[in-house]
Amino acid sequence: MELVEEAPYRFRIDRHDPMRVPGTVFASRSLLPDAVGDRSLEQVANVATLPGIVGASYAMPDVHWGYGFPIGGVAATDPADGGVVSPGGVGFDISCGVRLLAADLDRAELGGALESVMDGLSAGTPRGMGRGAVWQLANPAELDAVLRGGSRYAVDRGHGTARDLARCEDGGAVADADPAQVSERAVQRGQQQVGSLGSGNHFLEVQAVDEVYDPAVAEAFGLRPGQICVMIHSGSRGLGHQICTDHVRTMEKAMPRYGIEVPDRQLACAPVSSPQGRAYLGAMAAAANYARANRQLLAESARRVFADRTGRALDLVYDVSHNLAKIEEHVVDGAPRRLCVHRKGATRALPPGHPELPDDLRPAGQPVLIPGSMGTPSYVLVGVPGAPAFASTCHGAGRVRSRRQATRAVRGHDPRREIEARDIAVRGASWRGLAEEMPEAYKDIAAVIEATEGAGLCRRVARLVPVGVVKG
């Protein structure tokens, strides 16, 4: 794949048939995917063939190979111009995202209570691939209410506060959810998992604010140097996975009737305005609401532990997803257009003044939460005016080794001991779960953040370092 370096941290893949637009890759040279072992740049070019795509097919600095779209891929299509929606542009873990809570205590105050806190978080956080959840839903009707109401329904049932909703993307629930488009199999998979962490790269981490780059914005977010925080990374669990599986199959069968051909069957898609497109968006919104409720329940469980073990509270900084397709208005060539923006392993980053931000955050801009790999720092960024890629940015460090490769690389090692040697308390469900997520399996998060800021996608606000981690 030939790349043209347009500017620092910005590369271009020139358009060639059947691409409809060029590709744009935001990265430094050291972050570019390995041409032999990672075909994500080929996926960037494939995404550029989608009907109705606008501007470019974008890749974030953490880009790596994914299903259809690269992880770290962004693409917007115009429904008025035959634009499509593709489940591969969202991914299997619909509305997977990050929630950050700030405690009213500092690292020095936490002191000897850390082990007790970690024991409480470990016991109170259902995780792994099996069943088990914080909230035992009584019947399918209650799950239907979760799919329609997300965090709003959880708060209505006493799991959180009204302020939580103001600090959550979309006010805690995506509109236009249609549970009727969610299959019975997806419902079965989701019934017993509301309030569970999952496995893979999902985690709950106790962190400390290690450095503040923008004191004014950090203060607006409720962050200060030395402060203890809790970061939760989870999504829609088996329900979201099944929804993606179901609708990929439906769209693959439907494409011929719309005259759509794609270079990779994993890019199965349908016009946004078609019955298949509307059905997927309704099911996706339901899964997004499930994910919001899931993180709301996990946060409430963490709050109970902190109240019990430290006597202190946790306030929500923000909750934002990084696997969604959203209908948004953006200015293209000087004119506003309604677009379907796919973000797959990419985070929305609204600038200061955006009307969708809550009143207390609007002057500063949207908090952008970027988790590091296990044992490395995480970052809080903020959206900036005039950013490219439809106000999108990275979502993490980005893998450079598959889970199998990562496991082989640490064979004969004790991952828990290596992490604890960095003064990080570990509560992991299995050796394999830790081995798959060791820092060596990921890109350098500091280099990713440097490229993100250098490309004009976001601006740094604070760095958080891990103190303790709960893994599936």
Side-chain angles (χ1 to χ4, degrees):
M1 182 67 62
E2 184 176 350
L3 290 173
V4 178
E5 188 167 6
E6 293 185 313
Y9 306 109
R10 182 173 179 135
F11 295 82
R12 184 182 73 250
I13 301 172
D14 284 327
R15 192 192 72 78
H16 57 79
D17 289 338
M19 293 170 65
R20 302 171 189 264
V21 294
T24 297
V25 182
F26 300 107
S28 62
R29 286 198 172 273
S30 65
L31 291 173
L32 290 173
D34 174 65
V36 176
D38 185 324
R39 299 172 63 186
S40 56
L41 296 186
E42 181 180 326
Q43 291 183 313
V44 173
N46 288 344
V47 170
T49 69
L50 291 177
I53 189 168
V54 173
S57 170
Y58 295 99
M60 300 295 112
D62 55 338
V63 64
H64 55 289
W65 183 85
Y67 181 93
F69 274 57
I71 298 170
V74 174
T77 65
D78 187 343
D81 190 28
V84 297
V85 61
S86 172
V90 173
F92 285 95
D93 195 358
I94 296 168
S95 197
C96 183
V98 181
R99 174 170 289 224
L100 181 67
L101 302 109
D104 61 345
L105 81 161
D106 293 338
R107 185 170 188 172
E109 295 177 279
L110 180 61
L114 174 62
E115 292 298 324
S116 175
V117 167
M118 294 305 300
D119 288 342
L121 292 173
S122 180
T125 307
R127 58 199 191 273
M129 295 184 67
R131 292 190 173 187
V134 173
W135 194 0
Q136 299 300 316
L137 299 179
N139 50 55
E142 199 164 33
L143 176 59
D144 186 86
V146 169
L147 298 180
R148 294 181 187 277
S151 291
R152 296 176 194 171
Y153 179 67
V155 170
D156 286 345
R157 292 295 304 273
H159 303 290
T161 68
R163 183 185 179 279
D164 291 341
L165 303 180
R167 286 297 185 101
C168 184
E169 184 183 15
D170 303 310
V174 180
D176 302 323
D178 186 357
Q181 306 302 330
V182 178
S183 70
E184 182 60 30
R185 174 59 179 149
V187 167
Q188 291 172 356
R189 295 184 69 178
Q191 185 72 41
Q192 304 298 327
Q193 294 184 332
V194 184
S196 61
L197 195 60
S199 57
N201 63 343
H202 296 153
F203 65 79
L204 184 152
E205 198 165 271
V206 177
Q207 303 172 335
V209 179
D210 177 61
E211 188 166 356
V212 170
Y213 305 99
D214 189 323
V217 174
E219 183 179 4
F221 291 174
L223 299 173
R224 64 178 187 272
Q227 185 177 23
I228 289 294
C229 296
V230 173
M231 180 175 281
I232 299 168
H233 179 201
S234 190
S236 53
R237 306 289 275 115
L239 179 135
H241 193 285
Q242 190 65 45
I243 286 172
C244 181
T245 299
D246 294 340
H247 287 268
V248 164
R249 291 171 180 165
T250 298
M251 289 187 180
E252 189 174 10
K253 293 176 182 177
M255 282 193 295
R257 78 182 66 166
Y258 299 111
I260 296 174
E261 295 182 5
V262 291
D264 180 352
R265 60 170 295 276
Q266 294 180 357
L267 289 175
C269 58
V272 172
S273 58
S274 70
Q276 296 82 8
R278 292 194 303 271
Y280 171 71
L281 288 172
M284 183 208 69
N289 290 339
Y290 185 98
R292 309 289 171 81
N294 188 32
R295 291 194 290 274
Q296 182 72 33
L297 268 291
L298 290 169
E300 280 299 284
S301 179
R303 281 170 164 161
R304 288 193 291 271
V305 171
F306 266 75
D308 179 58
R309 307 296 170 96
T310 71
R312 304 299 182 88
L314 291 171
D315 287 329
L316 182 59
V317 175
Y318 205 66
D319 181 300
V320 65
S321 300
H322 49 235
N323 282 354
L324 274 182
K326 305 187 79 165
I327 305 299
E328 301 173 349
E329 185 174 286
H330 291 274
V331 176
V332 180
D333 297 329
R337 292 167 73 175
R338 295 285 289 173
L339 304 176
C340 180
V341 183
H342 300 72
R343 296 184 180 93
K344 202 270 194 69
T347 309
R348 188 160 80 157
L350 300 179
H354 197 282
E356 291 190 37
L357 292 173
D359 292 343
D360 61 339
L361 292 180
R362 196 168 297 144
Q366 181 206 307
V368 178
L369 311 175
I370 309 298
S373 52
M374 186 174 59
T376 64
S378 297
Y379 287 80
V380 178
L381 312 178
V382 67
V384 296
F390 308 106
S392 308
T393 190
C394 64
H395 87 304
R399 294 194 77 97
V400 290
R401 291 178 180 171
S402 69
R403 289 183 169 85
R404 181 178 297 178
Q405 291 170 334
T407 301
R408 285 202 302 262
V410 299
R411 192 166 293 158
H413 295 244
D414 185 340
R416 179 188 299 272
R417 183 175 297 176
E418 291 180 10
I419 298 169
E420 289 176 340
R422 306 180 192 194
D423 293 326
I424 301 170
V426 179
R427 300 294 185 272
S430 68
W431 177 90
R432 178 176 292 276
L434 295 175
E436 290 176 346
E437 299 301 319
M438 290 295 283
E440 293 76 14
Y442 287 84
K443 299 179 183 181
D444 178 358
I445 184 65
V448 170
I449 298 302
E450 178 185 331
T452 297
E453 194 169 40
L457 299 169
C458 268
R459 189 162 47 80
R460 285 179 292 181
V461 174
R463 182 178 67 190
L464 289 67
V465 295
V467 175
V469 59
V470 176
K471 288 288 295 184

